[in-house]
Amino acid sequence: MQTNLIYKKMIDQYLNLLKQWKWSILIVSLLLVGIASSGLRYLTFTSDFKAYFSANDPQLLAYETLQNVYADTQNALIVVEPRSGTVFTREVLATISEITSKAWKLPFATRVDSITNFQHSRADGDNLIIEDLLPMNIPITDEQLAQTRKIALGETLLRNRLISADSLTTAVNVAFKIEKNHPEQIGEAVNAVRRLSLQMETSHPEIQIHLTGSLILDYAFTEASERDLAILMPIMLVVVIILLWIMSGSLTATIATTAIIAIAIIATMGVISWFGIEITGASAAAPPIILTIAVANSIHLLTHTLHTLGHGKTRSEAIDESLRNNLSPIALTNLTTCISFLTMNFSDSPPFQDLGNIVAIGVNITFIATIAVLPILLTLLPMKAHKESLWGSNAIYQITEFSMQRKHILLPLIGIITTILISFISRNEINDEYLKYFAEDAPFRQATEFTAARLTGVTSVEYSLDSKVADGLNDPGFLHRIGGFADWLRDQPEIVHVFSLTDILKQLNKNMHQDDPSYYKLPEQRDLTAQYLLLYEMSLPNGLDLNNIINVTKSATRITVSLKGLSTRQLFAFEQRAAQWLDSHDLPAANTPATGPDIMFAHIGDRNMRDMLEGTIWEIIAITTILILALRSLSLGLLSVIPNLIPAACAFGIWGLLVGQVNLAVSVVTGMTLGIIIDDTVHFLSAYRQARYGLGLAPHDAVRTTMSTVGNALLITTVILACGFGVLLFSNYKATAWMGMLTSLTILLALVTEVLLMPALLVIRPGNPK
């Protein structure tokens, strides 16, 4: 009783403060938002896929080690498709030479490889000749054309890498050196590649160009994020505003809520910009989530105000009563939602940690705006009593009655349905193919799938095999183990191409024996290997040296493996087989870990699923404990778990039945949606406790009173949030689209659980003493 009196006194003091200082509070609030929003000029997007990995991520460390030892691996693959069919015509080969020449001038380009500038080695008497396969600016004779075709299609280093086996497709590979602290260079380089491609297609209509590669991938991530923020975010906002206007029946409520949304999003994004947090494809989901939380907070305050206003109270009285009844639940939802999103720091991926932290900041800004700015706006904007919009409230009331009357049939039935749906969770498979993050009509995906079907593999895995001894690459025994690994790789069913130093050495050994095919094998003497490498490197032109596959001390070499598009499970299986081969051939896998973007995303997706499961468990424990203490009821606190967990579990079961794939973004949905749907649970149970113990009503009547108080708000928030997240389905970035789809489904199931299951559970729950 004493606690209630203290709380009531504090609320009265706060209401008086709002009335006396409303203009000062409003002006100060707007000034603070203005200061925060000034940080938006520092808001940046990162194009680097490595942003998805923590600094101590083992796969990232292996990848960066490889990049530091060898030349940078970021590339753009300019895939050329001759409309006439074959690559080997004078016109097409001249075009390839032109693209190769111009690609050298692209910003930040460090190396260009194509079939025309491939360094072909051959014997000429006692001399070793190394030159471009097809030198530029010379007439191409029929004999040269036939010879070029024969060499290119027979060359292990080219076939299924830069020229297709059927000679219908070729590619120019451009390597770039992008400075780590200058991600804007990625956009500059990609746009330059696009301009070159458009120029070549325009001047050479006989070809069509497709762009893929790691650099194009990086920029595709950024473009997808920027598009979502620039297009989908406004559409989502418009959808929410229209639905809010229709369902609340109040223009004032709509304007006031829109103002709170704007304050929350602008201030939050401004604040994180001051802290230098970069936006990625994952953290770009923060503004839509903050929007939903702002709507949820505002709706409960607004619907109660409109409800009270419609029952004869003055505007001031209606606002006061709404604050008295909703301030505590809104504060509680602020706390639980904040905790929910902070548990995303359990994720091993920094962008998802950023997402949780950004939303947590937004939750607190939204809370302050809702309890400080929204009541003032309601006093200043025109508002009059009108017939309250019901929008399905009668249906919810009838469902509630049905739940209480048929509880003994309904509860077992819901239990059976829930069990069946949850059983389908096992059908979900972790699969983080980065290519499928993009819509089927996305240019990058189309180009990459074309490349996979017509030229080379889309999955890349790299190894650095190190002898740990200077000039160890000259050791015939070590070379034979490298060659054995390359041969083993080529025998694997997933492999499309293997790029290895041993193939160059085999060709040189053949050249140095008058091109005798029987000498296409690794040299057996250490001094011969050293001489071959020295002679070969001295003959290579600037920019086409062996730094991309040999380290400075010549102790290690790099093997690049191109594979077919694989699921995460298939990629792990291949990685494990390769590690076993390395371990059994004195090339410890621990010292030569597989790396590359595909391996990196596969591992972090697998780890993230386990990490977020742990985070969700702690999240549930923390939120349940808080609700037990806040509601002062063990049974009510424990009951809160049911409407929070069942929707997410059933949603993942349905997902397993219909889709069956879980990627990095989808793996965080449970924790994220729990932070959203907890709002309705808190308001429902807070209203029920007030009716049950504050008013002394019987359980049935307490549920009815609760539904009459918060039922309309539950319906409005569910419809608006589900439709708002539904807009994300139109994202070209599949990770965002899938997250939006699963979140909408979870929110809808949460409403079903709230109005169909909770009433039945509450009336069979043993009553607690007052």
Side-chain angles (χ1 to χ4, degrees):
M1 183 65 70
Q2 184 67 25
T3 303
N4 290 336
L5 289 174
I6 295 174
Y7 174 73
K8 184 178 182 300
K9 185 177 180 180
M10 291 175 60
I11 290 292
D12 289 339
Q13 291 175 343
Y14 179 69
L15 293 174
N16 290 331
L17 180 67
L18 285 180
K19 291 172 183 176
Q20 292 176 12
W21 299 93
K22 63 182 178 183
W23 286 109
S24 298
I25 292 172
L26 188 60
I27 291 171
V28 170
S29 299
L30 293 177
L31 284 174
L32 290 174
V33 172
I35 293 172
S37 65
S38 65
L40 290 173
R41 65 184 184 274
Y42 302 118
L43 188 65
T44 57
F45 291 82
T46 179
S47 302
D48 194 346
F49 76 89
K50 294 192 290 294
Y52 279 82
F53 305 88
S54 61
N56 59 353
D57 183 280
Q59 279 72 43
L60 177 63
L61 292 175
Y63 183 74
E64 290 187 331
T65 298
L66 183 137
Q67 284 192 312
N68 292 332
V69 171
Y70 308 100
D72 203 331
T73 58
Q74 287 188 285
N75 76 303
L77 194 65
I78 304 174
V79 181
V80 180
E81 176 191 10
R83 298 184 188 278
S84 60
T86 181
V87 169
F88 296 102
T89 66
R90 291 178 177 83
E91 295 78 9
V92 173
L93 290 176
T95 301
I96 299 302
S97 291
E98 184 179 352
I99 295 173
T100 303
S101 176
K102 291 183 175 180
W104 280 106
K105 302 174 184 177
L106 291 170
F108 318 115
T110 58
R111 183 185 179 105
V112 181
D113 290 284
S114 70
I115 57 172
T116 58
N117 78 339
F118 173 71
Q119 297 304 291
H120 175 59
S121 61
R122 59 185 176 84
D124 184 8
D126 293 331
N127 297 319
L128 176 65
I129 306 296
I130 300 175
E131 60 185 359
D132 289 354
L133 180 57
L134 191 65
M136 291 184 60
N137 303 321
I138 63 168
I140 303 175
T141 65
D142 290 342
E143 183 180 355
Q144 284 178 312
L145 195 62
Q147 184 69 3
T148 300
R149 175 189 176 92
K150 178 182 178 182
I151 294 172
L153 294 180
E155 177 57 64
T156 303
L157 297 174
L158 290 178
R159 191 178 61 254
N160 293 329
R161 175 172 167 259
L162 295 180
I163 182 70
S164 62
D166 58 10
S167 75
L168 299 180
T169 313
T170 188
V172 177
N173 187 62
V174 188
F176 293 88
K177 180 66 176 179
I178 303 297
E179 295 181 43
K180 188 173 184 179
N181 296 322
H182 292 277
E184 72 280 358
Q185 293 178 354
I186 294 176
E188 186 179 345
V190 170
N191 288 323
V193 172
R194 287 174 175 172
R195 287 193 298 270
L196 173 61
S197 300
L198 180 60
Q199 174 192 344
M200 297 308 299
E201 283 186 322
T202 302
S203 59
H204 299 280
E206 72 274 8
I207 65 167
Q208 183 176 356
I209 290 178
H210 311 267
L211 296 179
T212 185
S214 62
L215 196 76
I216 309 298
L217 165 66
D218 277 355
Y219 201 56
F221 276 125
T222 296
E223 288 181 314
S225 302
E226 290 178 342
R227 177 187 178 276
D228 285 352
L229 285 178
I231 299 177
L232 292 187
M233 186 65 196
I235 293 175
M236 186 178 185
L237 182 59
V238 169
V239 169
V240 167
I241 291 172
I242 292 174
L243 287 173
L244 181 60
W245 188 4
I246 294 173
M247 299 186 74
S248 70
S250 170
L251 180 59
T252 295
T254 305
I255 294 173
T257 303
T258 304
I260 299 303
I261 292 171
I263 289 172
I265 294 176
I266 292 172
T268 301
M269 301 310 288
V271 167
I272 65 120
S273 298
W274 282 113
F275 285 102
I277 298 176
E278 294 179 318
I279 300 299
T280 60
S283 57
I289 296 172
I290 295 170
L291 182 152
T292 66
I293 294 168
V295 168
N297 277 352
S298 301
I299 285 294
H300 286 285
L301 201 61
L302 289 167
T303 54
H304 199 115
T305 300
L306 293 171
H307 174 81
T308 308
L309 194 64
H311 283 73
K313 297 288 183 72
T314 66
R315 184 197 305 198
S316 179
E317 291 172 336
I319 295 172
D320 287 356
E321 183 176 327
S322 181
L323 273 171
R324 285 192 180 95
N325 284 274
N326 288 286
L327 186 56
S328 178
I330 289 175
L332 189 56
T333 59
N334 174 76
L335 177 60
T336 54
T337 302
C338 195
I339 289 174
S340 180
F341 279 97
L342 286 176
T343 57
M344 293 183 72
N345 283 283
F346 278 88
S347 171
D348 198 35
S349 180
F352 290 101
Q353 297 172 10
D354 289 342
L355 174 61
N357 294 330
I358 293 170
V359 174
I361 293 171
V363 167
N364 288 288
I365 292 175
T366 300
F367 172 67
I368 296 171
T370 302
I371 66 170
V373 178
L374 184 58
I376 295 173
L377 292 177
L378 294 179
T379 63
L380 299 176
L381 294 171
M383 180 183 288
K384 58 184 179 180
H386 63 281
K387 185 178 179 181
E388 186 180 357
S389 176
L390 296 178
W391 270 99
S393 296
N394 290 334
I396 287 182
Y397 195 84
Q398 291 172 1
I399 293 172
T400 301
E401 284 294 324
F402 173 79
S403 172
M404 292 188 293
Q405 296 299 326
R406 298 288 186 268
K407 55 184 176 295
H408 297 300
I409 299 175
L410 191 62
L411 289 176
L413 181 61
I414 292 176
I416 293 171
I417 294 173
T418 300
T419 302
I420 292 173
L421 290 178
I422 290 176
S423 69
F424 289 114
I425 292 179
S426 60
R427 292 170 60 96
N428 286 304
E429 178 183 348
I430 298 175
N431 190 15
D432 235 331
E433 294 179 73
Y434 69 82
L435 183 60
K436 293 184 179 178
Y437 278 10
F438 301 94
E440 293 179 0
D441 60 348
F444 171 76
R445 179 169 177 175
Q446 289 183 334
T448 305
E449 288 181 338
F450 174 86
T451 303
R454 300 283 294 274
L455 180 60
T456 190
V458 296
T459 300
S460 179
V461 176
E462 301 199 79
Y463 296 89
S464 178
L465 305 181
D466 196 341
S467 66
K468 304 297 184 181
V469 177
D471 294 319
L473 289 177
N474 297 330
D475 177 17
F478 183 58
L479 278 179
H480 277 286
R481 293 200 298 278
I482 296 172
F485 184 49
D487 292 339
W488 178 86
L489 287 169
R490 291 188 177 101
D491 290 337
Q492 304 311 300
E494 306 95 335
I495 302 302
V496 176
H497 185 268
V498 177
F499 189 90
S500 172
L501 171 69
T502 53
D503 295 310
I504 295 175
L505 287 172
K506 288 177 182 178
Q507 178 67 24
L508 291 174
N509 193 42
K510 186 182 82 168
N511 297 149
M512 298 305 289
H513 290 83
Q514 301 296 316
D515 282 338
D516 184 347
S518 65
Y519 281 90
Y520 186 77
K521 58 185 179 180
L522 291 170
E524 297 295 338
Q525 290 83 34
R526 186 186 185 94
D527 57 339
L528 283 181
T529 302
Q531 291 173 22
Y532 291 169
L533 283 176
L534 178 62
L535 183 60
Y536 185 70
E537 288 185 286
M538 291 178 60
S539 303
L540 293 174
N542 185 40
L544 292 178
D545 51 39
L546 294 179
N547 289 340
N548 63 328
I549 58 171
I550 295 178
N551 69 345
V552 174
T553 62
K554 291 184 171 55
S555 69
T557 184
R558 168 187 188 175
I559 291 184
T560 301
V561 186
S562 298
L563 305 94
K564 303 172 184 175
L566 303 178
S567 68
T568 296
R569 184 177 299 175
Q570 291 170 328
L571 192 56
F572 281 162
F574 165 77
E575 181 188 22
Q576 185 177 6
R577 293 202 315 272
Q580 289 172 348
W581 192 99
L582 291 168
D583 284 336
S584 63
H585 289 78
D586 198 23
L587 291 168
N591 297 331
T592 58
T595 188
D598 301 275
I599 284 284
M600 294 164 70
F601 275 109
H603 278 281
I604 200 170
D606 183 58
R607 286 198 307 272
N608 203 64
M609 180 64 73
R610 297 193 300 269
D611 293 341
M612 290 311 300
L613 177 60
E614 180 184 354
T616 301
I617 292 172
W618 283 109
E619 177 183 1
I620 294 167
I621 293 172
I623 290 175
T624 303
T625 302
I626 290 171
L627 290 180
I628 289 172
L629 296 174
L631 297 172
R632 285 172 284 175
S633 170
L634 177 63
S635 59
L636 285 180
L638 293 176
L639 275 178
S640 70
V641 177
I642 296 174
N644 293 332
L645 278 189
I646 285 181
C650 290
F652 267 96
I654 295 172
W655 191 261
L657 186 62
L658 301 179
V659 180
Q661 292 187 18
V662 176
N663 58 27
L664 186 59
V666 171
S667 67
V668 303
V669 166
T670 299
M672 187 183 75
T673 54
L674 183 55
I676 296 172
I677 64 180
I678 189 67
D679 175 271
D680 286 344
T681 303
V682 170
H683 280 278
F684 185 96
L685 292 178
S686 295
Y688 175 80
R689 188 186 187 286
Q690 175 62 24
R692 180 76 176 90
Y693 302 117
L695 301 178
L697 299 178
H700 288 74
D701 292 331
V703 170
R704 294 186 184 102
T705 300
T706 298
M707 279 302 175
S708 67
T709 304
V710 302
N712 203 34
L714 295 182
L715 178 63
I716 293 174
T717 54
T718 297
V719 172
I720 290 176
L721 299 189
C723 291
F725 274 102
V727 172
L728 299 180
L729 290 173
F730 298 98
S731 173
N732 276 340
Y733 187 53
K734 275 295 185 69
T736 300
W738 282 12
M739 184 175 68
M741 184 190 307
L742 192 53
T743 302
S744 294
L745 177 60
T746 305
I747 290 171
L748 290 171
L749 290 173
L751 177 65
V752 174
T753 306
E754 208 77 59
V755 302
L756 194 61
L757 181 60
M758 280 298 285
L761 291 173
L762 287 171
V763 296
I764 67 170
R765 162 185 165 266
N768 293 323
K770 296 181 183 179

